[in-house]
Amino acid sequence: MSCATFNVAASLNLNGCTKHAVSKPFGFRHRSTVHKFSSLFIETLNLSSTDSSFGRETPFHSFHSVFKCAAQNSEPSTSVGVDTKNNSQRVTVLVIGGGGREHALCYALQRSPSCDTVFCAPGNAGIASSGNATCITDLDVYDGGAVISFCHERGVGLVVVGPEAPLVAGLANELVKAGIPTFGPSAEAAALEGSKNFMKLLCDKYDIPTAKYKTFTDPSAAKQYIQEQGAPIVIKADGLAAGKGVTVAMTLEEAYEAVDSMLVKGDFGSAGCRVIIEEFLEGEEASFFALVDGENAIPLESAQDHKRVGDGDTGPNTGGMGAYSPAPILTKELQSIVMDSIIIPTVKGMSVEGCKFVGVLYAGLMIEKKSGMPKLIEYNVRFGDPECQVLMVRLESDLVQVLHAACRGELSGVSLNWSPGSAMVVVMASKGYPGSYEKGTLIENLEEAELVAPGIKIFHAGTAYDSEGRFIATGGRVLGVTAKGNDLEEARDRAYRAVENVNWSGGFYRRDIGWRALPQKQYYTTKG
């Protein structure tokens, strides 16, 4: 695999931060014009990631991915939209995406009093059958002009972009330029997720706590550094890798194999042309979400997911096998620390760099065992999946109003209302995931499963109809069986009761979601 290189050393002004070898060449496949815009260089992004919500590679040439941060995405739109303070006007919303996260967003948006209609492009069979949105399967969400035309034709007053791939490709830039209020960051601001190295450089410059690291494009140098540091150690592909570009290597051999996979074999395409090698942090992971309007940020409720595919947090990383909210590990005190030491410095830093962030910041955190303090593992620039599912079933505020306020730079003073109790989602995935898996397996009894207890909602991530109108699996993560309860144990029991009633021989799920918060009942025992 060959990667073109671009030396960005001269473009960086990191207040003397040279300890992370930023003078080394940075690899990229696609050539574009690069502009300096303040003191921190937005690196060239890796755009050929495959996202299961779309099922094809992100085309680079669909949008103007020129790196000039003009903060377009933070400006209020004028030609299309509504006054968020005028509750008498109802808004037509377009959700971009077709996975479980997007189904949950459609569900919450449709429940908003200020929402008129929800469209979802492309959506999926489950979203369409639920009545939570009208799916527009033939709208090419990578064609900015087509999306803009659709919005004008249908009177769309708010676009919510779900997945990271169209954000990194620049869809929000195109929509905001056309005067369409869009919740989601510009391509430049999406570099927080599109390049882990960029995120690390921002942390360096603005003193945001994170694991120590070095960046490499040369496999021999990377292996030498690993040998010096020892195992366990973490190896990350720099670009978008659908949640699978991270290896927590417990041995040197595992670490070397991960480096070869990314830098030699090219298993992650251009996303793996550069790797970040990080210290291993021992502790408990948690997810922290904040809505951002370019200058202000407000926290969402806490949530915690399970990345590993197997019970007991074993096996390879996935996009997420389940989640619950609230997360006991994130106390009110810790949430305040996260806002003050991580989220706010990030928002202010991006603004200083001339690249205001508008959208949701999803901080993957490690609560260190030795200090009890949070460190930033990674940023995502969209709602997490499956965390979005548990957050959306608990949200009681008008989501349309809140997201529109973010688009207009009016989040200051906004507060959110949440239902009491807890929520949990258990992901049902195709057997073989996160590796190869069979598509087209039959799924039955979903309606009955939703009725086994109160507060159950099944979100579809990867389903379609067969020739007889029955649901079949088309993805790796296929269903998000979600339940609310008065407490986490009740939510857990309801979710697993529903899971047991889904008839799907081609699927599997973890039986221990929530085990950290419910150690006395680590594994859920199935009937029979």
Side-chain angles (χ1 to χ4, degrees):
M1 179 187 68
S2 65
C3 297
T5 60
F6 183 83
N7 195 316
V8 301
S11 301
L12 293 167
N13 176 12
L14 299 176
N15 297 330
C17 286
T18 58
K19 58 183 177 180
H20 301 305
V22 295
S23 61
K24 290 198 172 192
F26 291 79
F28 63 94
R29 289 184 178 273
H30 305 288
R31 297 181 182 274
S32 68
T33 306
V34 181
H35 296 256
K36 287 190 287 185
F37 62 90
S38 186
S39 61
L40 187 61
F41 179 85
I42 292 280
E43 296 174 20
T44 305
L45 303 180
N46 297 302
L47 300 179
S48 60
S49 162
T50 298
D51 186 282
S52 60
S53 299
F54 295 92
R56 63 184 175 87
E57 288 195 343
T58 308
F60 176 77
H61 299 292
S62 297
F63 301 102
H64 303 296
S65 299
V66 178
F67 296 110
K68 49 181 181 179
C69 247
Q72 307 111 310
N73 211 34
S74 65
E75 297 301 322
S77 301
T78 55
S79 64
V80 181
V82 298
D83 185 349
T84 59
K85 297 175 182 178
N86 185 354
N87 294 327
S88 65
Q89 290 184 280
R90 301 180 71 195
V91 183
T92 296
V93 184
L94 171 63
V95 175
I96 300 294
R101 165 184 50 229
E102 289 74 41
H103 192 177
L105 288 169
C106 290
Y107 170 77
L109 289 162
Q110 185 196 42
R111 290 162 50 221
S112 300
S114 62
C115 181
D116 182 36
T117 304
V118 180
F119 294 105
C120 187
N124 64 45
I127 296 174
S129 68
S130 69
N132 296 136
T134 299
C135 292
I136 312 298
T137 58
D138 59 349
L139 178 60
D140 184 356
V141 299
Y142 290 104
D143 183 343
V147 176
I148 290 167
S149 294
F150 178 87
C151 291
H152 287 154
E153 290 168 5
R154 301 300 183 99
V156 171
L158 174 66
V159 176
V160 181
V161 185
E164 64 275 18
L167 290 170
V168 171
L171 178 59
N173 302 57
E174 297 289 300
L175 293 171
V176 171
K177 184 178 179 181
I180 300 169
T182 303
F183 184 78
S186 64
E188 297 80 21
L192 281 172
E193 178 170 359
S195 171
K196 295 178 181 66
N197 188 59
F198 169 70
M199 184 215 79
K200 288 289 194 177
L201 293 174
L202 192 81
C203 289
D204 285 345
K205 186 169 183 180
Y206 293 98
D207 296 322
I208 298 166
T210 188
K212 71 176 183 179
Y213 75 102
K214 266 195 174 183
T215 301
F216 296 91
T217 57
D218 175 57
S220 298
K223 291 177 183 179
Q224 178 63 35
Y225 180 74
I226 290 169
Q227 186 177 35
E228 293 169 359
Q229 298 301 309
I233 198 164
V234 181
I235 295 87
K236 297 181 177 181
D238 180 51
L240 299 179
K244 301 168 193 171
V246 177
T247 297
V248 180
M250 303 310 292
T251 66
L252 293 179
E253 290 69 25
E254 285 182 72
Y256 297 154
E257 287 176 9
V259 169
D260 286 340
S261 172
M262 296 174 193
L263 293 181
V264 179
K265 299 177 183 177
D267 290 346
F268 295 97
S270 60
C273 276
R274 180 166 59 245
V275 300
I276 288 80
I277 299 179
E278 254 183 15
E279 70 172 319
F280 174 81
L281 298 177
E282 187 176 2
E284 189 168 347
E285 290 189 45
S287 304
F288 191 93
F289 298 86
L291 302 182
V292 182
D293 68 2
E295 296 289 349
N296 307 289
I298 58 173
L300 301 182
E301 266 290 308
S302 63
Q304 188 164 18
D305 75 338
H306 296 260
K307 289 294 187 190
R308 298 298 187 99
V309 71
D311 291 340
D313 289 336
T314 58
N317 276 339
T318 69
M321 294 300 294
Y324 54 93
S325 174
I329 185 68
L330 277 172
T331 63
K332 293 298 181 184
E333 180 184 6
L334 268 181
Q335 290 181 52
S336 179
I337 291 172
V338 171
M339 284 296 292
D340 291 342
S341 66
I342 296 175
I343 301 297
I344 296 301
T346 299
V347 174
K348 299 301 183 186
M350 293 292 282
S351 180
V352 168
E353 299 299 334
C355 199
K356 291 185 178 182
F357 185 97
V358 176
V360 62
L361 265 181
Y362 162 17
L365 305 174
M366 179 67 76
I367 312 303
E368 274 202 286
K369 184 177 181 180
K370 62 182 179 182
S371 67
M373 297 298 286
K375 282 189 175 181
L376 180 65
I377 299 175
E378 64 178 3
Y379 265 132
N380 296 292
V381 297
R382 33 68 185 182
F383 285 99
D385 186 343
E387 295 97 330
C388 185
Q389 287 85 313
V390 291
L391 291 173
M392 291 303 103
V393 298
R394 292 193 59 212
L395 181 67
E396 294 186 338
S397 297
D398 187 318
L399 184 60
V400 172
Q401 291 284 333
V402 172
L403 300 189
H404 216 291
C407 294
R408 296 171 64 91
E410 297 175 356
L411 278 182
S412 180
V414 171
S415 60
L416 301 175
N417 297 320
W418 302 90
S419 66
S422 299
M424 178 176 288
V425 57
V426 178
V427 170
M428 300 186 73
S430 296
K431 288 180 179 177
Y433 175 82
S436 60
Y437 52 84
E438 181 183 356
K439 295 183 179 181
T441 54
L442 184 64
I443 306 171
E444 296 180 301
N445 215 47
L446 292 175
E447 290 185 8
E448 293 81 357
E450 280 192 326
L451 299 176
V452 298
I456 294 173
K457 176 69 176 178
I458 298 178
F459 295 110
H460 289 240
T463 61
Y465 292 120
D466 67 5
S467 59
E468 298 179 29
R470 302 174 300 179
F471 284 117
I472 57 173
T474 59
R477 294 186 298 161
V478 175
L479 300 171
V481 182
T482 310
K484 292 199 298 181
N486 292 320
D487 54 31
L488 188 56
E489 187 166 7
E490 184 175 58
R492 186 181 201 278
D493 290 343
R494 288 177 175 179
Y496 276 103
R497 282 178 60 193
V499 166
E500 286 186 334
N501 279 272
V502 174
N503 294 334
W504 181 25
S505 61
F508 78 99
Y509 55 93
R510 281 185 56 165
R511 291 175 167 81
D512 65 342
I513 302 301
W515 72 269
R516 290 185 182 276
L518 295 168
Q520 73 279 11
K521 191 177 181 181
Q522 180 173 340
Y523 292 94
Y524 188 86
T525 304
T526 57
K527 60 187 178 184

